């Protein structure tokens, strides 16, 4: 009888470990999905800026686009159209569920900063599921917008960046 109880205890401990592993796997899968979505959106805006290189300076944002923002609706210039489409994509407009935009990262925001000399820093930031280290302080897009009950000091903010270089051909 004692052997059966010991076997059951060992089996329960193993099953609890397996359940914990499954939960961690799901969290990691969601983090990877969000990073993949962010990379697509980052590449999208970088391509838009490079395509409209003559007006690249007009893409610089003063506040992040995306979640919590009213998306630009202007259509008179390619930059206005691009900014509106990128903002909607950051909000998840590619997929809806019950009228809610759910097709992108949690709390997706995007910024374009002018670095001078024809260089532009494009950043996509989003809400991570678990706290890790904060992005470098030089990455300001979405800074202090992802703090909450279990996340402090920007440790749930995830961000990726790329630099778009526009050559001076004159």
């Amino acid at each position: 009888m004692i052997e059966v109880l010991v076997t059951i205890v060992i089996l329960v401990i193993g099953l609890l470990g397996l359940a914990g592993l499954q939960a961690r796997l799901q969290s990691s899968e969601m983090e990877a999905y969000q990073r993949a979505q962010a990379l697509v959106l980052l590449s999208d805006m970088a391509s838009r800026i490079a395509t409209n290189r003559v007006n690249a300076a007009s893409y610089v944002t003063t506040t992040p686009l995306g979640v919590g923002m009213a998306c630009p609706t202007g259509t008179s210039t390619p930059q206005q159209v691009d900014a509106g489409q990128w903002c909607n994509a950051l909000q998840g407009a590619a997929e809806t569920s019950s009228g809610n935009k759910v097709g992108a990262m949690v709390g997706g925001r995007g910024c374009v900063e002018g670095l001078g000399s024809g260089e532009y820093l494009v950043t996509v930031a989003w809400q991570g599921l678990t706290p890790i280290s904060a992005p470098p302080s030089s990455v300001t897009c979405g800074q202090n917008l992802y703090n909450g009950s279990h996340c402090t000091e920007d440790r749930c903010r995830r961000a990726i960046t790329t630099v778009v270089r526009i050559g001076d051909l004159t």
Side-chain angles (χ1 to χ4, degrees):
M1 187 63 133
I2 292 176
E3 293 171 350
V4 173
L5 287 175
V6 169
T7 304
I8 290 174
V9 168
I10 291 172
L11 184 63
V12 167
I13 290 171
L15 289 174
L16 286 174
L18 191 59
L21 179 64
Q22 183 67 27
R24 182 76 175 137
L25 274 169
Q26 286 181 331
S27 175
S28 295
E29 182 182 4
M30 182 61 174
E31 289 277 357
Y33 169 76
Q34 289 193 118
R35 182 169 298 279
Q37 291 291 330
L39 285 167
V40 168
L41 293 172
L42 182 75
S43 176
D44 177 48
M45 182 48 81
S47 296
R48 289 172 188 259
I49 294 170
T51 300
N52 193 11
R53 59 184 350 122
V54 173
N55 299 310
S58 65
Y59 283 84
V60 173
T61 58
T62 55
T63 59
L65 296 175
V67 171
M69 300 291 297
C71 290
T73 57
T75 58
S76 59
T77 66
Q79 181 278 334
Q80 290 174 338
V81 172
D82 290 345
Q85 290 175 349
W86 196 46
C87 179
N88 280 315
L90 286 162
Q91 291 178 348
E95 187 177 337
T96 59
S97 175
S98 302
N100 297 319
K101 298 175 183 177
V102 296
M105 308 82 54
V106 176
R109 292 178 174 90
C111 305
V112 179
E113 301 172 51
L115 301 176
S117 301
E119 291 185 341
Y120 301 90
L121 180 69
V122 182
T123 305
V124 174
W126 69 97
Q127 171 80 43
L129 301 179
T130 57
I132 58 172
S133 61
S137 60
S138 60
V139 179
T140 59
C141 187
Q143 202 166 35
N144 298 319
L145 296 176
Y146 300 105
N147 292 328
S149 60
H150 73 286
C151 290
T152 58
E153 300 172 0
D154 255 358
R155 291 180 35 213
C156 281
R157 178 172 62 114
R158 310 289 191 264
I160 56 172
T161 64
T162 191
V163 174
V164 178
R165 292 179 177 87
I166 306 296
D168 184 9
L169 303 177
T170 58

